[in-house]
Amino acid sequence: MEIKIYFLVVSFAFSNLLNAQDLPFEMETFDFDKGKYKEAIGFIDDGDDAFDMEYFNSALKFYLKANELNPENSELNYKIGLSYLNSSDRFLCLEFFEKSFQLNRGINTDIHLMLARGLQLNMKFDEAINEYKAHMGILSPQELTEQKEMVEKFIYECQVGKELIDMPANSFVDNVGDEINTAFHEHSPLISADESMLIFTSTRDNGRKMDDEDHYDEDIYLSYKLGKVWEKPENIGEPVNTQFNDATVGLSPDGQKLLIYNGNKGNGDIQECSLNGDEWKYPKNLPKEINSDYKESSACFSPDGNKLFFISERPDGYGGKDIYVSRKNAKGKWSESRNLGNFVNSPYDEETVFIHPDGRKLYFSSKGHNGMGGYDIFVSYLNENSAWSAPENMGYPVNSPDDDLCFVISADGRHGYFSSVRGDSYGGLDIFRTTFLGPEKPLTLCNEDNLIAVSVNPISEEVMEESVELKTIRLTIVKGLVSDAFTDEPVFANIDIVDNNTGEVIFTSQTNSATGRFLVTLPSGKNYALTVKADDYLFHSENFDIPPATEYQEIEKLIGLSNLKKDAKIVLNNVFFETGSAKLKPTSYAELGRLTKLLNDHPKLIIEISGHTDNKGSKVTNQKLSENRAKSVVDFLVSEGVDTLRLQFKGYAFDQPIADNSTSQGRAKNRRVEFKIVEN
Amino acid sequence: MCKPIFILLVIVCAWNNVIAQDTTLVVAENQEAEIAFNKGNSLYQAGDYNGAIAAFTEALTFNQTFEKAIINRASAYSKLNNFVQAIVDFELAIKINPTNNLAWYGKGIAHYSRAQKSEAENSFQQAIYNGLKNDNVYYYAGVVAFENGELEKALENYTQAINYNPKNALAFNDRGSVKRSMQKYTEAIEDYKAAIKIDPKMGIVYNNIGSAKWKSGDLDAALLDYGVAIRLDPTYFIALNNRASVRFEMKDFEGAIIDCEKAISINPDYAYAYNNMGNAKAKLKNYAGAEKDYTKAIQLNTNFAIAYLNRGICRERLRNFEGAVDDWEMAKVLGISKAESYIKFYD
């Protein structure tokens, strides 16, 4: 229980903070200062009086003074808002309606409507729509029936406003400045084709007050432009201006005829003044084909002067004020006026019509069509069928949520002039100039992509050939022992490995001096001679013909070296002949070269070269072959410079085999050449 | 417990024996060219391209028509960006063997690297004609065709590349781009998605998907895809600029400016971002700021026709009509024909 009460107290206090206090105009509010209180009440009373008389500007003056003394009164704020809403500075109402609502949400059943109006006038369209909907939500059925159309139209205007703000027209809008505009109303501008002359209407002080509101009646003024500056406007004077309201309506393209509105004639009629030199002649009413028993408020001539477009409130229109046209025949008589039709005219008021000097564009203001609030300025185009197109909203910033009227345009289409109330107005209606920048010029974006991936993600593939497989060959290991053939003692000897094909010594080695052992490696694919040389010994040669595909093998050789003494002999293992012939193969030359050297190194040596065969074939044949082969070797040695007297040769056929002739290896060994020391 | 370890040791030792060098084998003679060639390959793999070139050249002293050495030397030159010399070598290999499709392929890549599209295209076609059948040669052929604006041909080549290698993410990306250029946005997106499935970290594909979706009008989706591309690579200034443009079209002009600023902070010379930032500022009616941005874009690229055009529009808004017309004159000279009508308005 205690907690609940505590919560209620807190929430009540909090809500009071959120809703600022609505301070009544009572003594307590003024701290019982009687003087201030009376002053405040006086202001309110005066304001109320003026408000009741619909002198809203005067009411504002009093209300605002009262507001200075007590700004926290919801009713006063509401009245100020209403006063603004009924004045020319309508958009200023929002601040006060919001304040009023903040102070007292129930200030009036139409507060949401008022807020909505204020929001719309300040172009806060989404919030305005919400408030309009809120207003509709609290209406009784009957009120809804009465107000639905109006509120829905406001909502539609807000939606249009959003669209127009989103896609603004390509133009500027500028106040023409305080040379022309004043704190009073300035409106209905007319310009000469070259924009050097401006004729307009103003309610500035002309000495003829209309009412107690410091309103003066309307007069027509004239200003000329020097360079970029408007000269001080002059009252156009009589007979154009009268003691009644005189307003500009239209100007002929040649500037010689001025159309004016005279509110004192009929219910408001249009008159025409002609310029005679530099003096305007007395205004004449346009004929009844134009001026009816109803109000005609605006008009303009077509460029050829033969048509007159004008606004009339006559009842045969499509709603309120409409645009009509009358044609002048060859005799100068104006035809019966014709309504421009419901394509141009809306169910709401049309006002202030102007036709472009080219005769094909009709500018006018309307509260209908797709406007964003109040009167908006529209343009309609004359098509090939001489029909007027559907009106197009001139867009924002030319149009605003408030009234935008009296549009005229220069001959070159670059500048338009119109009346409106904007944030930078000097007071009341002002004249503005819009500068058209031609068709919309869209901004262009620049973008790119990595459409092609390789420009960012290089391909890692290499254009490469793979390494080649190298041919390899197996080794033949030849190892062994060199010893004295007589004593078996190890011999320290030099070992040469010779490529028999080239005769080149490709490797040299030595036996171990202690053991006489040696080991050499011979890669497959060559015909080798292994020669063993030691001092005082005959050289020894072995042949290793190892084809390329030979697998790994190890060969053991026990080599006995013979001393250089009589009868010592060795097999010349690296002497080769053509098959069945005594012709020496070139692969023999290395071996024979070694023999030559031996003989040169030991000049006293006399040797016998003997040829031997295997036992295949006849004795005679083998005898002859073996002898011839021995002779071939001797011939070689002789050709190398060895004295023939030191050389003997003999053929032994197969008489002295050293291996078994029954095997091929044995026969190969038997087919040999030897040399023997005969004398040393 | 010991037995498994013992077995393991045995296995390890046996394996080492297998791979240990066979000492009964020696290199046969007369293979100096091959030995030098293999050495060159080793140096190439190690990144020593100059050393590789020397080795390949040595190989050629032993065998002047050793095609493989010529090709690999060419590749080594390519690695050093010496494409001129690479082309000389590839042409030499082709002279020796006109059907050497690898040489044609390498030549094509070298020409492409030198922006010699016609020669590149011809070389790739020769490689294919001479029997090279791999996805990359078709991919490159597709690239050249795409760059030449031959969209159908590009499509064909990329499809072939994909047929050879269905996991070629680059080919899927590029084919998507071709389809996008043909305004086949749905198909383009399918290909981009396929690329992402193969390589989910390929940020450029997300960017390209974003652009395809943008072109097809799906701005929300485009925004998301650009976001992924940027998450994958926060320095991807192209995607940032693109996302800025989508934000611009969604009328989020402040967001567009933020993205442009980020792009510029990554790449201060990115003229596009300055142009687009200018556009966003102009929409916010900050015409003075916009003008500065366009001016910067023009400073970075003195032939930036669009920036001149936009600056002219901005200057018009600043009521500098003379300056606006000057800019449009420049835009017109640089090839933007619509500037003519802008200028005419002020005649």
Side-chain angles (χ1 to χ4, degrees), chain A residues 170 172 174 414 441 444 446-451 453-454 461-463 465 467-468 471-475 526, chain B residues 22 24 26 28-29 31 38 44 72 75 105 174 177 180 207-208 211 236 242 245 270 276 279 310 316 319:
Chain A
N170 202 20
F172 301 123
D174 300 301
R414 294 291 305 280
K441 298 181 181 79
T444 306
C446 285
N447 301 90
E448 60 177 340
D449 293 305
N450 294 121
L451 293 175
V454 76
E461 181 198 40
E462 309 277 11
V463 178
E465 293 280 13
S467 293
V468 295
K471 291 178 206 158
T472 54
I473 48 179
R474 291 284 177 185
L475 295 175
K526 284 193 194 305
Chain B
D22 184 348
T24 66
V26 292
E29 284 183 340
Q31 294 188 108
N38 288 353
Y44 183 103
N72 287 11
S75 291
Y105 178 46
D174 286 24
S177 297
R180 199 182 106 190
N207 173 77
N208 291 344
S211 295
Y236 196 2
N242 288 343
S245 293
Y270 198 33
N276 294 346
N279 285 355
N310 288 339
E316 186 181 53
R319 300 164 196 262

Short mmCIF file of all heavy atoms in Angstrom, two decimals, chain A residues 170 172 174 414 441 444 446-451 453-454 461-463 465 467-468 471-475 526, chain B residues 22 24 26 28-29 31 38 44 72 75 105 174 177 180 207-208 211 236 242 245 270 276 279 310 316 319:
data_model
loop_
_atom_site.label_atom_id
_atom_site.label_comp_id
_atom_site.label_asym_id
_atom_site.label_seq_id
_atom_site.Cartn_x
_atom_site.Cartn_y
_atom_site.Cartn_z
N ASN A 170 14.27 23.33 -60.70
CA ASN A 170 15.62 23.84 -60.90
C ASN A 170 15.58 25.35 -60.99
O ASN A 170 15.67 25.95 -62.07
CB ASN A 170 16.19 23.24 -62.19
CG ASN A 170 17.69 23.28 -62.20
OD1 ASN A 170 18.33 23.39 -61.17
ND2 ASN A 170 18.26 23.18 -63.38
N PHE A 172 15.95 29.34 -58.46
CA PHE A 172 16.14 30.07 -57.22
C PHE A 172 14.90 30.90 -56.98
O PHE A 172 14.21 31.29 -57.92
CB PHE A 172 17.30 31.08 -57.33
CG PHE A 172 18.62 30.50 -57.66
CD1 PHE A 172 19.30 30.93 -58.77
CD2 PHE A 172 19.18 29.53 -56.87
CE1 PHE A 172 20.54 30.41 -59.08
CE2 PHE A 172 20.42 29.00 -57.17
CZ PHE A 172 21.09 29.45 -58.29
N ASP A 174 14.24 34.52 -54.90
CA ASP A 174 14.84 35.59 -54.09
C ASP A 174 13.82 36.69 -53.88
O ASP A 174 13.05 37.01 -54.80
CB ASP A 174 16.05 36.21 -54.82
CG ASP A 174 17.13 35.19 -55.09
OD1 ASP A 174 17.62 34.60 -54.12
OD2 ASP A 174 17.44 34.95 -56.28
N ARG A 414 13.55 33.42 -68.37
CA ARG A 414 14.58 33.19 -67.34
C ARG A 414 14.09 33.57 -65.95
O ARG A 414 14.50 32.97 -64.96
CB ARG A 414 15.82 34.00 -67.67
CG ARG A 414 16.53 33.55 -68.94
CD ARG A 414 17.17 32.19 -68.77
NE ARG A 414 18.08 32.18 -67.63
CZ ARG A 414 19.31 32.64 -67.62
NH1 ARG A 414 19.82 33.18 -68.71
NH2 ARG A 414 20.04 32.59 -66.53
N LYS A 441 19.23 19.54 -63.98
CA LYS A 441 20.57 19.07 -64.34
C LYS A 441 20.99 18.06 -63.28
O LYS A 441 21.44 18.42 -62.20
CB LYS A 441 21.55 20.23 -64.37
CG LYS A 441 21.21 21.30 -65.40
CD LYS A 441 22.23 22.41 -65.39
CE LYS A 441 21.89 23.50 -66.39
NZ LYS A 441 20.85 24.41 -65.95
N THR A 444 25.95 13.62 -61.60
CA THR A 444 26.36 12.30 -62.09
C THR A 444 27.34 11.67 -61.11
O THR A 444 28.35 12.27 -60.74
CB THR A 444 27.02 12.44 -63.47
OG1 THR A 444 26.13 13.12 -64.34
CG2 THR A 444 27.33 11.06 -64.05
N CYS A 446 30.08 8.70 -60.02
CA CYS A 446 31.15 7.96 -60.69
C CYS A 446 31.50 6.74 -59.87
O CYS A 446 31.81 6.85 -58.68
CB CYS A 446 32.40 8.83 -60.83
SG CYS A 446 32.21 10.05 -62.10
N ASN A 447 31.45 5.61 -60.52
CA ASN A 447 31.72 4.36 -59.81
C ASN A 447 32.50 3.41 -60.71
O ASN A 447 32.52 3.58 -61.92
CB ASN A 447 30.41 3.70 -59.40
CG ASN A 447 29.60 4.59 -58.50
OD1 ASN A 447 28.78 5.38 -58.96
ND2 ASN A 447 29.85 4.50 -57.22
N GLU A 448 33.08 2.46 -60.07
CA GLU A 448 33.77 1.41 -60.83
C GLU A 448 33.70 0.13 -60.03
O GLU A 448 33.39 0.14 -58.84
CB GLU A 448 35.23 1.80 -61.09
CG GLU A 448 36.04 2.01 -59.81
CD GLU A 448 37.49 2.33 -60.09
OE1 GLU A 448 37.96 2.03 -61.21
OE2 GLU A 448 38.16 2.86 -59.20
N ASP A 449 33.98 -0.95 -60.73
CA ASP A 449 34.03 -2.25 -60.08
C ASP A 449 35.26 -3.00 -60.57
O ASP A 449 35.85 -2.62 -61.56
CB ASP A 449 32.78 -3.08 -60.44
CG ASP A 449 31.52 -2.48 -59.87
OD1 ASP A 449 31.49 -2.25 -58.64
OD2 ASP A 449 30.58 -2.23 -60.65
N ASN A 450 35.58 -4.03 -59.86
CA ASN A 450 36.61 -4.94 -60.37
C ASN A 450 35.89 -6.03 -61.16
O ASN A 450 35.72 -7.15 -60.70
CB ASN A 450 37.41 -5.55 -59.21
CG ASN A 450 38.21 -4.52 -58.46
OD1 ASN A 450 38.05 -4.34 -57.26
ND2 ASN A 450 39.09 -3.84 -59.16
N LEU A 451 35.47 -5.64 -62.38
CA LEU A 451 34.71 -6.60 -63.17
C LEU A 451 35.57 -7.81 -63.53
O LEU A 451 35.08 -8.92 -63.64
CB LEU A 451 34.21 -5.93 -64.44
CG LEU A 451 33.15 -4.83 -64.24
CD1 LEU A 451 32.83 -4.17 -65.56
CD2 LEU A 451 31.91 -5.40 -63.60
N ALA A 453 38.45 -10.16 -62.49
CA ALA A 453 39.08 -10.54 -61.22
C ALA A 453 40.59 -10.54 -61.28
O ALA A 453 41.24 -10.22 -60.29
CB ALA A 453 38.57 -11.92 -60.80
N VAL A 454 41.13 -10.89 -62.42
CA VAL A 454 42.58 -11.06 -62.48
C VAL A 454 43.30 -9.73 -62.26
O VAL A 454 44.48 -9.70 -61.92
CB VAL A 454 43.00 -11.70 -63.81
CG1 VAL A 454 42.95 -10.71 -64.97
CG2 VAL A 454 44.37 -12.33 -63.71
N GLU A 461 49.18 -19.41 -61.49
CA GLU A 461 49.77 -20.44 -62.37
C GLU A 461 51.02 -19.91 -63.05
O GLU A 461 51.05 -18.80 -63.57
CB GLU A 461 48.74 -20.81 -63.45
CG GLU A 461 49.23 -21.89 -64.40
CD GLU A 461 48.42 -21.93 -65.68
OE1 GLU A 461 48.08 -20.85 -66.19
OE2 GLU A 461 48.13 -23.02 -66.16
N GLU A 462 52.08 -20.74 -63.03
CA GLU A 462 53.32 -20.36 -63.69
C GLU A 462 53.36 -20.99 -65.07
O GLU A 462 52.95 -22.13 -65.25
CB GLU A 462 54.52 -20.87 -62.88
CG GLU A 462 54.51 -20.52 -61.40
CD GLU A 462 55.06 -19.14 -61.15
OE1 GLU A 462 55.25 -18.39 -62.12
OE2 GLU A 462 55.27 -18.79 -60.00
N VAL A 463 53.89 -20.24 -66.02
CA VAL A 463 54.14 -20.82 -67.34
C VAL A 463 55.55 -21.40 -67.30
O VAL A 463 56.52 -20.74 -67.63
CB VAL A 463 54.01 -19.75 -68.44
CG1 VAL A 463 54.32 -20.34 -69.81
CG2 VAL A 463 52.63 -19.15 -68.42
N GLU A 465 58.06 -24.98 -67.59
CA GLU A 465 58.30 -26.39 -67.88
C GLU A 465 58.92 -27.02 -66.64
O GLU A 465 59.72 -26.39 -65.96
CB GLU A 465 59.26 -26.54 -69.07
CG GLU A 465 58.69 -26.07 -70.39
CD GLU A 465 57.77 -27.11 -71.03
OE1 GLU A 465 57.40 -28.07 -70.33
OE2 GLU A 465 57.43 -26.95 -72.20
N SER A 467 61.20 -29.54 -64.37
CA SER A 467 62.58 -30.02 -64.47
C SER A 467 62.61 -31.34 -65.20
O SER A 467 61.65 -32.12 -65.14
CB SER A 467 63.16 -30.19 -63.07
OG SER A 467 63.28 -28.93 -62.46
N VAL A 468 63.70 -31.57 -65.91
CA VAL A 468 63.82 -32.81 -66.68
C VAL A 468 64.51 -33.88 -65.83
O VAL A 468 65.30 -33.56 -64.94
CB VAL A 468 64.62 -32.58 -67.98
CG1 VAL A 468 63.85 -31.64 -68.88
CG2 VAL A 468 66.01 -32.06 -67.70
N LYS A 471 69.47 -38.38 -67.07
CA LYS A 471 69.82 -39.80 -67.26
C LYS A 471 70.91 -40.16 -66.26
O LYS A 471 71.86 -39.42 -66.06
CB LYS A 471 70.34 -40.02 -68.68
CG LYS A 471 69.25 -39.86 -69.74
CD LYS A 471 69.83 -40.03 -71.12
CE LYS A 471 68.97 -39.27 -72.10
NZ LYS A 471 69.67 -38.94 -73.31
N THR A 472 70.71 -41.26 -65.67
CA THR A 472 71.72 -41.72 -64.72
C THR A 472 72.25 -43.08 -65.15
O THR A 472 71.58 -43.80 -65.91
CB THR A 472 71.11 -41.86 -63.32
OG1 THR A 472 69.94 -42.69 -63.41
CG2 THR A 472 70.73 -40.52 -62.75
N ILE A 473 73.39 -43.34 -64.73
CA ILE A 473 73.99 -44.63 -65.05
C ILE A 473 74.53 -45.26 -63.78
O ILE A 473 74.85 -44.55 -62.81
CB ILE A 473 75.14 -44.49 -66.07
CG1 ILE A 473 76.07 -43.34 -65.63
CG2 ILE A 473 74.60 -44.28 -67.45
CD1 ILE A 473 77.25 -43.12 -66.54
N ARG A 474 74.59 -46.58 -63.85
CA ARG A 474 75.11 -47.31 -62.69
C ARG A 474 76.64 -47.31 -62.73
O ARG A 474 77.25 -47.08 -63.75
CB ARG A 474 74.62 -48.76 -62.74
CG ARG A 474 73.12 -48.88 -62.52
CD ARG A 474 72.78 -48.71 -61.08
NE ARG A 474 71.33 -48.76 -60.88
CZ ARG A 474 70.76 -48.54 -59.73
NH1 ARG A 474 71.49 -48.22 -58.67
NH2 ARG A 474 69.45 -48.62 -59.61
N LEU A 475 77.17 -47.58 -61.58
CA LEU A 475 78.62 -47.63 -61.48
C LEU A 475 79.11 -49.09 -61.54
O LEU A 475 78.39 -50.01 -61.18
CB LEU A 475 79.06 -47.04 -60.13
CG LEU A 475 78.78 -45.57 -59.93
CD1 LEU A 475 79.17 -45.17 -58.51
CD2 LEU A 475 79.57 -44.73 -60.92
N LYS A 526 80.92 -46.54 -71.19
CA LYS A 526 82.19 -46.26 -71.85
C LYS A 526 83.03 -47.53 -71.93
O LYS A 526 82.79 -48.50 -71.24
CB LYS A 526 82.98 -45.21 -71.05
CG LYS A 526 82.47 -43.80 -71.22
CD LYS A 526 83.50 -42.81 -70.68
CE LYS A 526 82.95 -41.44 -70.50
NZ LYS A 526 82.35 -40.86 -71.65
N ASP B 22 70.91 -42.93 -53.78
CA ASP B 22 71.44 -44.19 -54.28
C ASP B 22 72.86 -43.92 -54.75
O ASP B 22 73.08 -43.28 -55.80
CB ASP B 22 70.54 -44.68 -55.42
CG ASP B 22 70.97 -46.05 -55.91
OD1 ASP B 22 72.07 -46.50 -55.53
OD2 ASP B 22 70.21 -46.65 -56.68
N THR B 24 75.10 -45.80 -56.05
CA THR B 24 75.58 -46.55 -57.23
C THR B 24 75.11 -45.89 -58.52
O THR B 24 75.35 -46.39 -59.61
CB THR B 24 75.07 -48.00 -57.20
OG1 THR B 24 73.65 -48.00 -57.35
CG2 THR B 24 75.45 -48.68 -55.90
N VAL B 26 75.00 -42.46 -60.92
CA VAL B 26 75.61 -41.17 -61.20
C VAL B 26 74.93 -40.58 -62.45
O VAL B 26 74.33 -41.31 -63.23
CB VAL B 26 77.14 -41.26 -61.45
CG1 VAL B 26 77.85 -41.65 -60.18
CG2 VAL B 26 77.44 -42.21 -62.60
N ALA B 28 74.59 -39.33 -65.99
CA ALA B 28 75.29 -39.65 -67.23
C ALA B 28 75.91 -38.39 -67.80
O ALA B 28 75.50 -37.26 -67.48
CB ALA B 28 74.31 -40.25 -68.22
N GLU B 29 76.85 -38.58 -68.67
CA GLU B 29 77.53 -37.43 -69.26
C GLU B 29 76.66 -36.75 -70.30
O GLU B 29 75.60 -37.26 -70.68
CB GLU B 29 78.83 -37.93 -69.90
CG GLU B 29 79.90 -38.22 -68.86
CD GLU B 29 81.20 -38.65 -69.52
OE1 GLU B 29 81.18 -39.07 -70.69
OE2 GLU B 29 82.25 -38.56 -68.84
N GLN B 31 74.93 -34.07 -70.28
CA GLN B 31 73.62 -33.54 -69.86
C GLN B 31 73.80 -32.17 -69.22
O GLN B 31 73.06 -31.78 -68.33
CB GLN B 31 72.96 -34.49 -68.87
CG GLN B 31 72.60 -35.84 -69.46
CD GLN B 31 71.79 -36.67 -68.50
OE1 GLN B 31 70.59 -36.87 -68.68
NE2 GLN B 31 72.43 -37.14 -67.44
N ASN B 38 67.69 -27.62 -64.84
CA ASN B 38 67.10 -27.98 -63.54
C ASN B 38 67.58 -27.02 -62.45
O ASN B 38 66.82 -26.66 -61.56
CB ASN B 38 67.46 -29.43 -63.18
CG ASN B 38 66.73 -30.44 -64.03
OD1 ASN B 38 65.85 -30.09 -64.81
ND2 ASN B 38 67.10 -31.70 -63.90
N TYR B 44 64.58 -20.49 -59.64
CA TYR B 44 63.29 -19.83 -59.88
C TYR B 44 62.36 -20.08 -58.71
O TYR B 44 61.72 -19.15 -58.20
CB TYR B 44 62.69 -20.38 -61.18
CG TYR B 44 61.39 -19.74 -61.60
CD1 TYR B 44 61.35 -18.80 -62.63
CD2 TYR B 44 60.18 -20.09 -61.01
CE1 TYR B 44 60.17 -18.22 -63.04
CE2 TYR B 44 58.99 -19.50 -61.39
CZ TYR B 44 58.99 -18.59 -62.42
OH TYR B 44 57.80 -18.01 -62.80
N ASN B 72 61.17 -21.21 -69.82
CA ASN B 72 61.32 -20.90 -68.40
C ASN B 72 62.11 -19.61 -68.20
O ASN B 72 61.86 -18.86 -67.25
CB ASN B 72 61.99 -22.06 -67.67
CG ASN B 72 61.02 -23.23 -67.52
OD1 ASN B 72 59.96 -23.24 -68.12
ND2 ASN B 72 61.40 -24.22 -66.73
N SER B 75 59.67 -16.93 -68.54
CA SER B 75 58.86 -16.78 -67.33
C SER B 75 59.62 -16.04 -66.24
O SER B 75 59.05 -15.24 -65.50
CB SER B 75 58.41 -18.14 -66.82
OG SER B 75 57.47 -18.70 -67.71
N TYR B 105 50.91 -19.44 -74.95
CA TYR B 105 50.17 -19.02 -73.75
C TYR B 105 50.97 -17.98 -72.97
O TYR B 105 50.45 -16.92 -72.59
CB TYR B 105 49.88 -20.26 -72.90
CG TYR B 105 49.17 -19.99 -71.58
CD1 TYR B 105 48.06 -19.14 -71.51
CD2 TYR B 105 49.60 -20.59 -70.41
CE1 TYR B 105 47.41 -18.92 -70.31
CE2 TYR B 105 48.95 -20.38 -69.21
CZ TYR B 105 47.86 -19.55 -69.17
OH TYR B 105 47.21 -19.32 -67.97
N ASP B 174 34.09 -13.17 -63.52
CA ASP B 174 34.15 -12.42 -64.77
C ASP B 174 32.93 -12.71 -65.64
O ASP B 174 32.41 -11.81 -66.31
CB ASP B 174 35.42 -12.78 -65.54
CG ASP B 174 36.66 -12.16 -64.91
OD1 ASP B 174 36.62 -11.86 -63.70
OD2 ASP B 174 37.67 -11.98 -65.61
N SER B 177 30.28 -10.67 -64.53
CA SER B 177 30.45 -9.29 -64.97
C SER B 177 30.01 -9.11 -66.41
O SER B 177 29.44 -8.09 -66.78
CB SER B 177 31.91 -8.87 -64.80
OG SER B 177 32.28 -8.92 -63.44
N ARG B 180 26.37 -9.05 -66.45
CA ARG B 180 25.92 -7.77 -65.94
C ARG B 180 26.00 -6.70 -67.01
O ARG B 180 25.11 -5.87 -67.15
CB ARG B 180 26.77 -7.36 -64.74
CG ARG B 180 26.09 -6.31 -63.88
CD ARG B 180 27.00 -5.92 -62.76
NE ARG B 180 27.53 -4.61 -63.02
CZ ARG B 180 28.51 -4.06 -62.31
NH1 ARG B 180 29.08 -4.73 -61.34
NH2 ARG B 180 28.94 -2.87 -62.60
N ASN B 207 31.37 -7.01 -53.94
CA ASN B 207 31.21 -5.67 -54.49
C ASN B 207 30.46 -5.73 -55.82
O ASN B 207 29.56 -4.94 -56.09
CB ASN B 207 32.60 -5.05 -54.71
CG ASN B 207 32.51 -3.73 -55.45
OD1 ASN B 207 32.15 -2.69 -54.91
ND2 ASN B 207 32.81 -3.76 -56.73
N ASN B 208 30.85 -6.70 -56.65
CA ASN B 208 30.21 -6.82 -57.96
C ASN B 208 28.74 -7.23 -57.83
O ASN B 208 27.89 -6.76 -58.60
CB ASN B 208 30.97 -7.84 -58.82
CG ASN B 208 32.34 -7.34 -59.22
OD1 ASN B 208 32.63 -6.14 -59.11
ND2 ASN B 208 33.21 -8.23 -59.66
N SER B 211 26.85 -4.20 -56.99
CA SER B 211 26.62 -3.33 -58.15
C SER B 211 25.55 -3.89 -59.07
O SER B 211 24.74 -3.14 -59.62
CB SER B 211 27.93 -3.15 -58.91
OG SER B 211 28.88 -2.46 -58.09
N TYR B 236 38.98 -1.57 -48.89
CA TYR B 236 38.44 -1.67 -50.25
C TYR B 236 37.69 -0.38 -50.58
O TYR B 236 36.46 -0.29 -50.49
CB TYR B 236 37.52 -2.88 -50.32
CG TYR B 236 37.19 -3.36 -51.71
CD1 TYR B 236 37.72 -2.78 -52.85
CD2 TYR B 236 36.32 -4.44 -51.90
CE1 TYR B 236 37.41 -3.23 -54.13
CE2 TYR B 236 36.01 -4.90 -53.17
CZ TYR B 236 36.56 -4.31 -54.27
OH TYR B 236 36.25 -4.77 -55.52
N ASN B 242 31.24 2.86 -53.85
CA ASN B 242 29.98 2.34 -54.41
C ASN B 242 28.86 2.41 -53.38
O ASN B 242 27.73 2.77 -53.70
CB ASN B 242 30.18 0.90 -54.89
CG ASN B 242 31.03 0.82 -56.14
OD1 ASN B 242 31.22 1.81 -56.84
ND2 ASN B 242 31.55 -0.36 -56.43
N SER B 245 27.47 5.74 -53.13
CA SER B 245 26.58 6.10 -54.24
C SER B 245 25.19 5.52 -54.02
O SER B 245 24.18 6.16 -54.33
CB SER B 245 27.16 5.60 -55.56
OG SER B 245 28.35 6.33 -55.85
N TYR B 270 41.70 9.21 -54.78
CA TYR B 270 40.56 8.59 -55.45
C TYR B 270 39.58 9.68 -55.88
O TYR B 270 38.69 10.09 -55.13
CB TYR B 270 39.90 7.58 -54.54
CG TYR B 270 39.00 6.60 -55.26
CD1 TYR B 270 39.30 6.18 -56.55
CD2 TYR B 270 37.86 6.09 -54.67
CE1 TYR B 270 38.50 5.29 -57.23
CE2 TYR B 270 37.06 5.19 -55.33
CZ TYR B 270 37.37 4.79 -56.61
OH TYR B 270 36.57 3.89 -57.28
N ASN B 276 31.80 12.13 -55.90
CA ASN B 276 30.54 11.66 -55.31
C ASN B 276 30.25 12.37 -53.99
O ASN B 276 29.09 12.61 -53.65
CB ASN B 276 30.60 10.14 -55.11
CG ASN B 276 30.67 9.41 -56.44
OD1 ASN B 276 30.43 9.98 -57.49
ND2 ASN B 276 31.03 8.13 -56.39
N ASN B 279 28.70 15.53 -54.82
CA ASN B 279 27.28 15.37 -55.15
C ASN B 279 26.42 15.34 -53.89
O ASN B 279 25.36 15.97 -53.83
CB ASN B 279 27.08 14.06 -55.92
CG ASN B 279 27.56 14.15 -57.36
OD1 ASN B 279 27.96 15.22 -57.82
ND2 ASN B 279 27.53 13.04 -58.07
N ASN B 310 29.56 18.38 -63.05
CA ASN B 310 28.91 18.55 -61.74
C ASN B 310 29.30 19.87 -61.09
O ASN B 310 28.47 20.54 -60.46
CB ASN B 310 29.31 17.39 -60.82
CG ASN B 310 28.65 16.08 -61.22
OD1 ASN B 310 27.64 16.08 -61.89
ND2 ASN B 310 29.24 14.98 -60.80
N GLU B 316 26.40 26.94 -60.72
CA GLU B 316 25.13 27.59 -61.10
C GLU B 316 24.32 27.85 -59.84
O GLU B 316 23.71 28.92 -59.68
CB GLU B 316 24.36 26.69 -62.06
CG GLU B 316 23.11 27.32 -62.62
CD GLU B 316 22.35 26.39 -63.54
OE1 GLU B 316 22.06 25.25 -63.12
OE2 GLU B 316 22.04 26.79 -64.67
N ARG B 319 25.25 30.73 -58.04
CA ARG B 319 25.01 31.91 -58.88
C ARG B 319 26.28 32.39 -59.59
O ARG B 319 26.35 33.51 -60.04
CB ARG B 319 24.40 33.06 -58.08
CG ARG B 319 23.07 32.68 -57.48
CD ARG B 319 22.67 33.67 -56.38
NE ARG B 319 21.62 33.12 -55.55
CZ ARG B 319 20.34 33.39 -55.68
NH1 ARG B 319 19.92 34.18 -56.64
NH2 ARG B 319 19.44 32.85 -54.87
#
